[in-house]
Amino acid sequence: VQLQASGGGLVQPGGSLRLSCTASGDISSINGMAWYRQAPGKQREFVASILRRLDRKYRSDVRGRFTISRDNAKNTVYLQMNSLEPEDTAVYYCSAGTLYDSNAYYPNEYWGQGTQVTVSS
């Protein structure tokens, strides 16, 4: 499975960005897809995930500002980010996994390349 992420960039505080991540290869086994992020000097952290049946999970400080969605026909997951804050600045990574238990919400078997999101005035 290969994951290709896109959509990062520079945006002012309060602005919006939409990230996309398309899966290719042997995708029939994929259940959970997610976004993680890593800020300079910090560990990679979970942002949001969505399962094939469209159940979603968010980290608390992005809930209400970020929306994760998925188009199973296009094998693509999206992260709509609104009301961006400087603290959201990070490299964002998409991931995918094949699990169907509680760990399905934190897929980490496959990773895409990161896309930089910078929130600054």
Side-chain angles (χ1 to χ4, degrees), residues 46-48 56-67:
F46 170 82
V47 176
R56 297 169 174 85
K57 186 177 290 289
Y58 296 93
R59 62 179 293 112
S60 59
D61 59 358
V62 307
R63 189 175 294 115
R65 299 189 298 123
F66 291 9
T67 301

Side-chain angles (χ1 to χ4, degrees), residues 55-81:
D55 289 1
R56 297 169 174 85
K57 186 177 290 289
Y58 296 93
R59 62 179 293 112
S60 59
D61 59 358
V62 307
R63 189 175 294 115
R65 299 189 298 123
F66 291 9
T67 301
I68 191 169
S69 60
R70 178 171 177 167
D71 185 334
N72 286 327
K74 295 182 178 180
N75 306 314
T76 299
V77 62
Y78 305 95
L79 185 68
Q80 178 66 43
M81 304 185 293

Side-chain angles (χ1 to χ4, degrees), residues 2-116:
Q2 294 79 44
L3 302 174
Q4 181 68 44
S6 62
L10 172 64
V11 64
Q12 293 186 342
S16 299
L17 281 175
R18 189 176 83 152
L19 306 182
S20 301
C21 177
T22 299
S24 60
D26 184 14
I27 60 173
S28 61
S29 61
I30 295 300
N31 180 26
M33 298 186 75
W35 291 94
Y36 289 75
R37 67 188 182 188
Q38 187 167 19
K42 295 187 177 181
Q43 291 188 335
R44 189 173 298 187
E45 62 185 18
F46 170 82
V47 176
S49 63
I50 185 167
L51 305 185
R52 182 174 288 274
R53 65 175 185 259
L54 305 184
D55 289 1
R56 297 169 174 85
K57 186 177 290 289
Y58 296 93
R59 62 179 293 112
S60 59
D61 59 358
V62 307
R63 189 175 294 115
R65 299 189 298 123
F66 291 9
T67 301
I68 191 169
S69 60
R70 178 171 177 167
D71 185 334
N72 286 327
K74 295 182 178 180
N75 306 314
T76 299
V77 62
Y78 305 95
L79 185 68
Q80 178 66 43
M81 304 185 293
N82 299 328
S83 302
L84 282 161
E85 304 169 352
E87 293 73 22
D88 297 315
T89 295
V91 177
Y92 283 69
Y93 297 90
C94 65
S95 69
T98 61
L99 301 179
Y100 279 82
D101 59 13
S102 58
N103 291 319
Y105 287 101
Y106 306 99
N108 60 7
E109 296 167 70
Y110 305 101
W111 292 91
Q113 89 290 3
T115 185
Q116 177 71 47

